[in-house]
Amino acid sequence: MILSPLQPDWYEQDVLSAAPALLGKILVRSVDGQSITARIIEVEAYRGEEDQACHARAGCTPRTQVMFGPPGCAYVYFTYGMHWCLNAVCMPAGYPAAVLIRAVAPIDGMDYIAAHRAGRPPAIWTDGPAKLTQALSINGTLNGCDLSASGGPLWIADAPAVSAEQIAVSPRIGLGATPEPWLSLPWRFYLPAEKERQRRLAKN
């Protein structure tokens, strides 16, 4: 399969259209001489300093400056003192917005993923944002990397668009004490068929 990266101008679109459009696209990780690929199946949108669930609510800081930079870069942050999370920066430079990649479905590189998720069943290898970063060895060294560079260590490849009928929408997850209306905004997008397939695998 020949993979072509999404170009930087693709990421200039509003994060609320980019997030569902990323569903079905292919996340590619090149590491230790291997290429690991996975289909993006769950995402969340974070938009601007006004979004009280977005890190950018604190303004442009050393942590968030990547979000203010050019679109198409990876925003990789550390959370809860133990986990890394991967985001794709969207919208024109200067406006902080990003799509959190919450879950992926592995395609290639199963041996690598299995080694990095040792002791866990395949159904839960990459079904959460911290799980997928562990599985694909994504950490802070990749913060700011160009997701449109197919020769790079981490990028996103184009794939046929997913139809709107295949996409489900809900409020974002795990926002804690985030105030309304930000707590309940329907900015989580996912593929129910893929999530159900993972649940069935987990039961077997």
Side-chain angles (χ1 to χ4, degrees):
M1 178 172 57
I2 298 176
L3 298 175
S4 299
L6 295 172
Q7 296 302 301
D9 59 358
W10 188 94
Y11 296 94
E12 291 180 0
Q13 65 183 297
D14 193 301
V15 71
L16 295 178
S17 61
L22 276 172
L23 294 173
K25 306 306 185 195
I26 309 299
L27 183 65
V28 183
R29 174 75 168 110
S30 297
V31 59
D32 297 340
Q34 289 187 259
S35 181
I36 302 102
T37 59
R39 186 172 186 242
I40 298 172
I41 63 171
E42 182 181 357
V43 297
E44 288 177 347
Y46 291 85
R47 190 180 191 279
E49 294 177 74
E50 68 277 11
D51 180 358
Q52 293 303 296
C54 181
H55 291 170
R57 67 185 181 278
C60 187
T61 67
R63 185 193 197 196
T64 64
Q65 63 181 352
V66 171
M67 293 186 73
F68 287 80
C73 289
Y75 171 44
V76 184
Y77 66 83
F78 199 52
T79 186
Y80 298 118
M82 64 178 70
H83 299 308
W84 295 100
C85 291
L86 169 65
N87 301 256
V89 174
C90 296
M91 303 185 68
Y95 188 92
V99 177
L100 171 66
I101 310 300
R102 284 198 54 88
V104 298
I107 300 171
D108 293 314
M110 301 299 187
D111 290 346
Y112 187 93
I113 291 173
H116 287 78
R117 295 286 290 151
R120 284 88 165 184
I124 61 169
W125 276 349
T126 57
D127 66 337
K131 296 177 183 180
L132 74 88
T133 56
Q134 183 183 53
L136 277 64
S137 296
I138 296 170
N139 55 42
T141 64
L142 297 171
N143 188 40
C145 81
D146 184 356
L147 295 174
S148 66
S150 59
L154 181 69
W155 54 285
I156 298 176
D158 200 2
V162 173
S163 68
E165 292 75 20
Q166 295 176 273
I167 299 173
V169 179
S170 83
R172 295 171 291 186
I173 294 173
L175 300 188
T178 299
E180 297 290 1
W182 315 106
L183 181 65
S184 300
L185 290 173
W187 287 2
R188 172 180 173 246
F189 307 89
Y190 63 99
L191 300 178
E194 290 282 359
K195 299 292 285 183
E196 179 58 30
R197 184 179 68 82
Q198 288 185 330
R199 280 192 290 268
R200 288 199 302 268
L201 284 172
K203 293 178 180 178
N204 295 333

